[in-house]
Amino acid sequence: MNYSADEMMTVAAARALRDRAVCFVGIGIPSTAANLARRTHAPGLVLIYESGCIGAKPTSLPLSIGDGELASSADAVVSVPEIFNYWLQPGRVDVGFLSAAQLDRRGNINTTVIGPYASPEVRLPGAGGAPEIASGCRSVVVVVRQSLKTFVDGLDFVTSAAAPRMVITDLGVLEPSPSGELVMTSLHPGVSAADARAATGWDLAMADDLGVTSPPSPHELDVLRSLTHR
Amino acid sequence: MNYSADEMMTVAAARALRDRAVCFVGIGIPSTAANLARRTHAPGLVLIYESGCIGAKPTSLPLSIGDGELASSADAVVSVPEIFNYWLQPGRVDVGFLSAAQLDRRGNINTTVIGPYASPEVRLPGAGGAPEIASGCRSVVVVVRQSLKTFVDGLDFVTSAAAPRMVITDLGVLEPSPSGELVMTSLHPGVSAADARAATGWDLAMADDLGVTSPPSPHELDVLRSLTHR
Amino acid sequence: MTVITSLPDAVALVVQDGDTVAFEGFTHLIPFAAGHEVIRQGRRDLTLVRMTPDVIYDQLIGAGCARRLVFSWGGNPGVGSLHRFRDAVQHGWPAPLEIEENSHAVMANRYVAAASGLPFAVLRGAVGTDLPAHSDSIRPITCPFTGEELTAVPALRLDAAVVHAQRADREGNVQLWGITGVQKEAVLSATRSLVTVEEIVPVLEPVPGAVVLPSWVVDCVALAPGGAHPSYADGYSVRDNAFYQEWDAISRDRATFGEWLRELQR
Amino acid sequence: MTVITSLPDAVALVVQDGDTVAFEGFTHLIPFAAGHEVIRQGRRDLTLVRMTPDVIYDQLIGAGCARRLVFSWGGNPGVGSLHRFRDAVQHGWPAPLEIEENSHAVMANRYVAAASGLPFAVLRGAVGTDLPAHSDSIRPITCPFTGEELTAVPALRLDAAVVHAQRADREGNVQLWGITGVQKEAVLSATRSLVTVEEIVPVLEPVPGAVVLPSWVVDCVALAPGGAHPSYADGYSVRDNAFYQEWDAISRDRATFGEWLRELQR
């Protein structure tokens, strides 16, 4: 069965979520991955959106974190201050799912500006919930396409000190070494170590036991496509 | 029409509330007075109970601040932290209605202990919402029976620094002089200055323009009795 | 994951000797049945936490379960004094009772801090009163932006929280409505939590004003219909005001209280 | 007491040149109609406050109403960038835009502090990031009980708050439900408030999950059916996702945006 690199990335991200985990989800690939996980191996996954929806069970992928179905399908809808103060901040959430415009070798994230802060080349959306998702969740998973543009040697701005337990890209999976530096621990099928190094702005280390990611199963792909094509 | 000293006190307390005022109410005579005001001259009075009920419109007098009808008749029911933090603390409430076990010449209140704190003669209920009702409301009205037991020269414990704009008793009405000391400004019908002084533990001053409280009107009494006899 | 079990088993799992435990419910939804089960199980040395330690704590204190009380208003609402509480404070019977006394706003914000995972909260509170002189829980703090002095209060972290709710579903999601007080904060402040419910239903249909506690923050649910009596559960029962008045006579002397206690433990 | 009036009159009463004003609504219930009226009335030098300055602030910024933006996430949700916001920040068009940038948790707590009448709030926030270096709104604070260092943020006091709700009664009591975001906090943080509503009804029947703002904290109510479009009002409309996508093309260059603006002002 053919699949795209983005599909591989999304499936790998979904697999990073164990059943019954409590997951703080942003929009985009993280939301797709979390909803895929809930429909495959993790039916008891609890999805929390920063709009205040706790235990959302959307039947289709939301375009925004404030889509009506997130609220109507949730176990509880609370205010935005409450979602951050009572639910995220005390460490009740197992996994925070983040994306990034830039990522450094320690997993710090930039979603604020490219170029100098005062006169940016590109003004990005900014922090949103990311800094406190990074500090408040028991673990962080970053999902981001790997390229010289995103995997940089120095961030233009540190938006979130994420320290992810896992970074999942369209090329493979990275995990921190004991020193905290991200190391490639798995490559997606058909991707070489040279491909991954060529898409990384620092001298990327490969794990001794570097593995190959299992390709998406037909079932994973079916469910993913039914989600994204709806 | 005959009436009791407590009825006079309650009617005088009700009259202290202007229409459309926002009033933070405790249980007992303050609640009776506020509900009487809402049924007579102040139909737009907004009653707030510390249980979280905003705009309660009970048809009968609640026995506790958490009676079901306070919630079911309210414009909004919020959590207890919210009622104190969002509604009382910022000064949104016009009048706080308090009672007291002891009151001093400046209107400070004791509802904590009679006797030493560590080995009290009488252990009273304690502060409840009173300290922050006293500091958070734009003005405070105290309703309390006047006697040597309650009107004391020194409090055994300062529970609330109330600084009331008015103290309404079964004998009359006291208001602070420019120096902040409570002065008798009105005596209820049939009460003499000597009666009031005999019920006060400090050298009670009478206002130059000491008045006589208008007795309860038949309508006020009718409504009050229909409330309390229900 | 929530354990749904009997009230005796749930109380045994959640409330242990020496615990700092809150039974919350602001007049409404007071978890009396769970309190009685704690008495039956003979728990000792509890630090009892509650904004309004009304009849439920009079019973626990009189039964000798408590070593310490953290509270802000200790009375029988609409009736008068709590005689067992007074006897413990004034005469050390049946055991001396340490007290830590706050105002409602202080207590509410101490729960908020704990529920928020913060070590303290800030409010305008207790200013000009004798409360700070008798409490380690009220300290000044200066605003780093304006220089204004405010009041800081420490988080009220609990070993256990016990609340009563109208209903739960079979997953252990809990729904309560009407006056919801500080129950959410108490549960979120606790290491272990127990919710007694009027009924367990297949699906929690939405109700206006309802608070929902998701199952993953609730350790135990126990079915206890009428478990709030003499308090009430909006939609299920009304407050038994007569019992609150009768309690005044039951609790006034040690002997009649003793009879009540023996009856409970039978 | 709430004034119930037309949208143009309400906007004229509540939003004035130079104001610090928040148009809130977290994806849901965004007060677009009121924002458009502010553009038509030619307000200038506004400090615009909003957690997620999406299309509504792209429009106000492009129209030249804003001098300053206080925010935490500036994008077109699910679509991409806000081109008018980027043009203002990157090229000063149509006017330079000062920015004060926070995280969501910082913004939410700044509203909470203002709604609570406190000068600041405390959170665990923005630690290890470059945000504090570029903001006067993030300072360290030490817990007076544990010595732990946390983050303090100043109250976000507003001259005016504008929100959209499903309905109001004739007294001006307001009811909103679904995702309710920080609307209550924004209204309680403001000196003046305006609520646009889908409808005005005789009685606000209770709705699950509803927030009610009593009339005495609402200055103006204006009827504006569909006033959240292209955002939505739960129970009344659905989000016009197509418009959010179209906005990308409309806003991408100054000329097509100019046409949109002239059309709005006609």
Side-chain angles (χ1 to χ4, degrees), chain B residues 14-35:
Chain B
R15 290 175 188 160
L17 297 169
R18 64 167 176 75
D19 196 16
R20 307 200 73 87
V22 178
C23 184
F24 208 98
V25 191
I27 281 299
I29 290 171
S31 176
T32 308
N35 279 287

PDB file of all heavy atoms in Angstrom, chain B residues 14-35:
ATOM      1  N   ALA B  14     -33.947  47.008  56.126  1.00  0.00           N
ATOM      2  CA  ALA B  14     -34.443  46.930  54.743  1.00  0.00           C
ATOM      3  C   ALA B  14     -34.407  48.310  54.096  1.00  0.00           C
ATOM      4  O   ALA B  14     -34.012  48.452  52.932  1.00  0.00           O
ATOM      5  CB  ALA B  14     -35.871  46.374  54.725  1.00  0.00           C
ATOM      6  N   ARG B  15     -34.766  49.319  54.846  1.00  0.00           N
ATOM      7  CA  ARG B  15     -34.810  50.684  54.281  1.00  0.00           C
ATOM      8  C   ARG B  15     -33.413  51.195  53.911  1.00  0.00           C
ATOM      9  O   ARG B  15     -33.281  52.137  53.139  1.00  0.00           O
ATOM     10  CB  ARG B  15     -35.432  51.643  55.299  1.00  0.00           C
ATOM     11  CG  ARG B  15     -36.906  51.437  55.521  1.00  0.00           C
ATOM     12  CD  ARG B  15     -37.362  52.366  56.639  1.00  0.00           C
ATOM     13  NE  ARG B  15     -38.739  52.087  57.046  1.00  0.00           N
ATOM     14  CZ  ARG B  15     -39.238  52.469  58.219  1.00  0.00           C
ATOM     15  NH1 ARG B  15     -38.478  53.137  59.086  1.00  0.00           N
ATOM     16  NH2 ARG B  15     -40.497  52.186  58.507  1.00  0.00           N
ATOM     17  N   ALA B  16     -32.382  50.590  54.503  1.00  0.00           N
ATOM     18  CA  ALA B  16     -31.010  51.043  54.202  1.00  0.00           C
ATOM     19  C   ALA B  16     -30.563  50.616  52.803  1.00  0.00           C
ATOM     20  O   ALA B  16     -29.480  50.989  52.359  1.00  0.00           O
ATOM     21  CB  ALA B  16     -30.049  50.492  55.252  1.00  0.00           C
ATOM     22  N   LEU B  17     -31.378  49.836  52.121  1.00  0.00           N
ATOM     23  CA  LEU B  17     -31.011  49.327  50.792  1.00  0.00           C
ATOM     24  C   LEU B  17     -31.790  50.069  49.718  1.00  0.00           C
ATOM     25  O   LEU B  17     -33.019  50.005  49.674  1.00  0.00           O
ATOM     26  CB  LEU B  17     -31.322  47.830  50.717  1.00  0.00           C
ATOM     27  CG  LEU B  17     -30.530  46.950  51.683  1.00  0.00           C
ATOM     28  CD1 LEU B  17     -31.105  45.549  51.711  1.00  0.00           C
ATOM     29  CD2 LEU B  17     -29.061  46.938  51.290  1.00  0.00           C
ATOM     30  N   ARG B  18     -31.077  50.758  48.813  1.00  0.00           N
ATOM     31  CA  ARG B  18     -31.770  51.445  47.726  1.00  0.00           C
ATOM     32  C   ARG B  18     -32.073  50.444  46.608  1.00  0.00           C
ATOM     33  O   ARG B  18     -31.424  49.406  46.481  1.00  0.00           O
ATOM     34  CB  ARG B  18     -30.934  52.610  47.204  1.00  0.00           C
ATOM     35  CG  ARG B  18     -29.631  52.214  46.577  1.00  0.00           C
ATOM     36  CD  ARG B  18     -28.959  53.348  45.792  1.00  0.00           C
ATOM     37  NE  ARG B  18     -27.652  52.893  45.303  1.00  0.00           N
ATOM     38  CZ  ARG B  18     -27.483  52.063  44.284  1.00  0.00           C
ATOM     39  NH1 ARG B  18     -28.523  51.608  43.618  1.00  0.00           N
ATOM     40  NH2 ARG B  18     -26.275  51.670  43.918  1.00  0.00           N
ATOM     41  N   ASP B  19     -33.047  50.780  45.824  1.00  0.00           N
ATOM     42  CA  ASP B  19     -33.428  49.916  44.705  1.00  0.00           C
ATOM     43  C   ASP B  19     -32.256  49.764  43.744  1.00  0.00           C
ATOM     44  O   ASP B  19     -31.484  50.694  43.528  1.00  0.00           O
ATOM     45  CB  ASP B  19     -34.645  50.484  43.974  1.00  0.00           C
ATOM     46  CG  ASP B  19     -35.299  49.428  43.069  1.00  0.00           C
ATOM     47  OD1 ASP B  19     -35.012  48.225  43.236  1.00  0.00           O
ATOM     48  OD2 ASP B  19     -36.097  49.826  42.203  1.00  0.00           O
ATOM     49  N   ARG B  20     -32.132  48.583  43.170  1.00  0.00           N
ATOM     50  CA  ARG B  20     -31.100  48.199  42.194  1.00  0.00           C
ATOM     51  C   ARG B  20     -29.701  48.086  42.796  1.00  0.00           C
ATOM     52  O   ARG B  20     -28.738  47.859  42.067  1.00  0.00           O
ATOM     53  CB  ARG B  20     -31.079  49.122  40.969  1.00  0.00           C
ATOM     54  CG  ARG B  20     -32.444  49.268  40.279  1.00  0.00           C
ATOM     55  CD  ARG B  20     -32.340  49.766  38.860  1.00  0.00           C
ATOM     56  NE  ARG B  20     -31.819  48.724  37.978  1.00  0.00           N
ATOM     57  CZ  ARG B  20     -32.582  47.796  37.373  1.00  0.00           C
ATOM     58  NH1 ARG B  20     -33.893  47.786  37.545  1.00  0.00           N
ATOM     59  NH2 ARG B  20     -32.033  46.892  36.599  1.00  0.00           N
ATOM     60  N   ALA B  21     -29.582  48.274  44.105  1.00  0.00           N
ATOM     61  CA  ALA B  21     -28.276  48.031  44.727  1.00  0.00           C
ATOM     62  C   ALA B  21     -27.933  46.556  44.618  1.00  0.00           C
ATOM     63  O   ALA B  21     -28.809  45.701  44.486  1.00  0.00           O
ATOM     64  CB  ALA B  21     -28.305  48.457  46.193  1.00  0.00           C
ATOM     65  N   VAL B  22     -26.626  46.288  44.644  1.00  0.00           N
ATOM     66  CA  VAL B  22     -26.139  44.914  44.663  1.00  0.00           C
ATOM     67  C   VAL B  22     -25.699  44.623  46.090  1.00  0.00           C
ATOM     68  O   VAL B  22     -24.869  45.342  46.642  1.00  0.00           O
ATOM     69  CB  VAL B  22     -24.965  44.735  43.685  1.00  0.00           C
ATOM     70  CG1 VAL B  22     -24.431  43.307  43.746  1.00  0.00           C
ATOM     71  CG2 VAL B  22     -25.393  45.093  42.269  1.00  0.00           C
ATOM     72  N   CYS B  23     -26.299  43.599  46.675  1.00  0.00           N
ATOM     73  CA  CYS B  23     -26.197  43.395  48.111  1.00  0.00           C
ATOM     74  C   CYS B  23     -25.685  41.989  48.426  1.00  0.00           C
ATOM     75  O   CYS B  23     -26.240  40.996  47.958  1.00  0.00           O
ATOM     76  CB  CYS B  23     -27.583  43.615  48.704  1.00  0.00           C
ATOM     77  SG  CYS B  23     -27.627  43.506  50.483  1.00  0.00           S
ATOM     78  N   PHE B  24     -24.615  41.880  49.195  1.00  0.00           N
ATOM     79  CA  PHE B  24     -24.050  40.595  49.625  1.00  0.00           C
ATOM     80  C   PHE B  24     -24.664  40.266  50.979  1.00  0.00           C
ATOM     81  O   PHE B  24     -24.491  41.015  51.938  1.00  0.00           O
ATOM     82  CB  PHE B  24     -22.533  40.722  49.733  1.00  0.00           C
ATOM     83  CG  PHE B  24     -21.780  39.440  49.498  1.00  0.00           C
ATOM     84  CD1 PHE B  24     -21.226  39.168  48.253  1.00  0.00           C
ATOM     85  CD2 PHE B  24     -21.607  38.503  50.511  1.00  0.00           C
ATOM     86  CE1 PHE B  24     -20.510  37.994  48.024  1.00  0.00           C
ATOM     87  CE2 PHE B  24     -20.905  37.328  50.284  1.00  0.00           C
ATOM     88  CZ  PHE B  24     -20.351  37.072  49.039  1.00  0.00           C
ATOM     89  N   VAL B  25     -25.376  39.148  51.059  1.00  0.00           N
ATOM     90  CA  VAL B  25     -26.268  38.879  52.170  1.00  0.00           C
ATOM     91  C   VAL B  25     -25.837  37.647  52.952  1.00  0.00           C
ATOM     92  O   VAL B  25     -25.562  36.603  52.359  1.00  0.00           O
ATOM     93  CB  VAL B  25     -27.696  38.607  51.649  1.00  0.00           C
ATOM     94  CG1 VAL B  25     -28.675  38.600  52.812  1.00  0.00           C
ATOM     95  CG2 VAL B  25     -28.107  39.615  50.608  1.00  0.00           C
ATOM     96  N   GLY B  26     -25.793  37.762  54.279  1.00  0.00           N
ATOM     97  CA  GLY B  26     -25.642  36.582  55.121  1.00  0.00           C
ATOM     98  C   GLY B  26     -27.000  36.094  55.574  1.00  0.00           C
ATOM     99  O   GLY B  26     -28.031  36.736  55.329  1.00  0.00           O
ATOM    100  N   ILE B  27     -27.011  34.934  56.257  1.00  0.00           N
ATOM    101  CA  ILE B  27     -28.281  34.377  56.715  1.00  0.00           C
ATOM    102  C   ILE B  27     -28.690  35.038  58.033  1.00  0.00           C
ATOM    103  O   ILE B  27     -27.869  35.573  58.758  1.00  0.00           O
ATOM    104  CB  ILE B  27     -28.137  32.844  56.876  1.00  0.00           C
ATOM    105  CG1 ILE B  27     -28.222  32.203  55.507  1.00  0.00           C
ATOM    106  CG2 ILE B  27     -29.192  32.240  57.808  1.00  0.00           C
ATOM    107  CD1 ILE B  27     -29.531  32.429  54.780  1.00  0.00           C
ATOM    108  N   GLY B  28     -29.990  34.995  58.314  1.00  0.00           N
ATOM    109  CA  GLY B  28     -30.503  35.576  59.549  1.00  0.00           C
ATOM    110  C   GLY B  28     -31.172  36.904  59.242  1.00  0.00           C
ATOM    111  O   GLY B  28     -31.740  37.088  58.152  1.00  0.00           O
ATOM    112  N   ILE B  29     -31.082  37.842  60.179  1.00  0.00           N
ATOM    113  CA  ILE B  29     -31.773  39.116  59.991  1.00  0.00           C
ATOM    114  C   ILE B  29     -31.329  39.836  58.709  1.00  0.00           C
ATOM    115  O   ILE B  29     -32.167  40.393  58.004  1.00  0.00           O
ATOM    116  CB  ILE B  29     -31.619  40.002  61.254  1.00  0.00           C
ATOM    117  CG1 ILE B  29     -32.457  39.380  62.395  1.00  0.00           C
ATOM    118  CG2 ILE B  29     -32.071  41.426  60.992  1.00  0.00           C
ATOM    119  CD1 ILE B  29     -32.219  40.012  63.741  1.00  0.00           C
ATOM    120  N   PRO B  30     -30.018  39.830  58.338  1.00  0.00           N
ATOM    121  CA  PRO B  30     -29.653  40.482  57.082  1.00  0.00           C
ATOM    122  C   PRO B  30     -30.427  39.927  55.888  1.00  0.00           C
ATOM    123  O   PRO B  30     -30.906  40.677  55.031  1.00  0.00           O
ATOM    124  CB  PRO B  30     -28.152  40.180  56.954  1.00  0.00           C
ATOM    125  CG  PRO B  30     -27.679  40.051  58.363  1.00  0.00           C
ATOM    126  CD  PRO B  30     -28.824  39.384  59.085  1.00  0.00           C
ATOM    127  N   SER B  31     -30.587  38.613  55.829  1.00  0.00           N
ATOM    128  CA  SER B  31     -31.302  38.004  54.713  1.00  0.00           C
ATOM    129  C   SER B  31     -32.779  38.380  54.754  1.00  0.00           C
ATOM    130  O   SER B  31     -33.388  38.693  53.728  1.00  0.00           O
ATOM    131  CB  SER B  31     -31.137  36.479  54.759  1.00  0.00           C
ATOM    132  OG  SER B  31     -31.883  35.850  53.763  1.00  0.00           O
ATOM    133  N   THR B  32     -33.353  38.385  55.953  1.00  0.00           N
ATOM    134  CA  THR B  32     -34.761  38.786  56.085  1.00  0.00           C
ATOM    135  C   THR B  32     -34.946  40.227  55.615  1.00  0.00           C
ATOM    136  O   THR B  32     -35.866  40.541  54.853  1.00  0.00           O
ATOM    137  CB  THR B  32     -35.211  38.663  57.556  1.00  0.00           C
ATOM    138  OG1 THR B  32     -34.880  37.361  58.029  1.00  0.00           O
ATOM    139  CG2 THR B  32     -36.705  38.899  57.688  1.00  0.00           C
ATOM    140  N   ALA B  33     -34.032  41.105  56.051  1.00  0.00           N
ATOM    141  CA  ALA B  33     -34.135  42.520  55.688  1.00  0.00           C
ATOM    142  C   ALA B  33     -33.990  42.708  54.176  1.00  0.00           C
ATOM    143  O   ALA B  33     -34.745  43.470  53.556  1.00  0.00           O
ATOM    144  CB  ALA B  33     -33.069  43.325  56.425  1.00  0.00           C
ATOM    145  N   ALA B  34     -33.050  42.021  53.582  1.00  0.00           N
ATOM    146  CA  ALA B  34     -32.830  42.178  52.148  1.00  0.00           C
ATOM    147  C   ALA B  34     -34.030  41.664  51.362  1.00  0.00           C
ATOM    148  O   ALA B  34     -34.457  42.280  50.385  1.00  0.00           O
ATOM    149  CB  ALA B  34     -31.554  41.427  51.740  1.00  0.00           C
ATOM    150  N   ASN B  35     -34.598  40.557  51.805  1.00  0.00           N
ATOM    151  CA  ASN B  35     -35.765  40.026  51.103  1.00  0.00           C
ATOM    152  C   ASN B  35     -36.996  40.908  51.324  1.00  0.00           C
ATOM    153  O   ASN B  35     -37.845  41.026  50.441  1.00  0.00           O
ATOM    154  CB  ASN B  35     -36.013  38.575  51.513  1.00  0.00           C
ATOM    155  CG  ASN B  35     -35.098  37.633  50.748  1.00  0.00           C
ATOM    156  OD1 ASN B  35     -35.297  37.406  49.554  1.00  0.00           O
ATOM    157  ND2 ASN B  35     -34.063  37.112  51.410  1.00  0.00           N
TER     158      ASN B  35
END
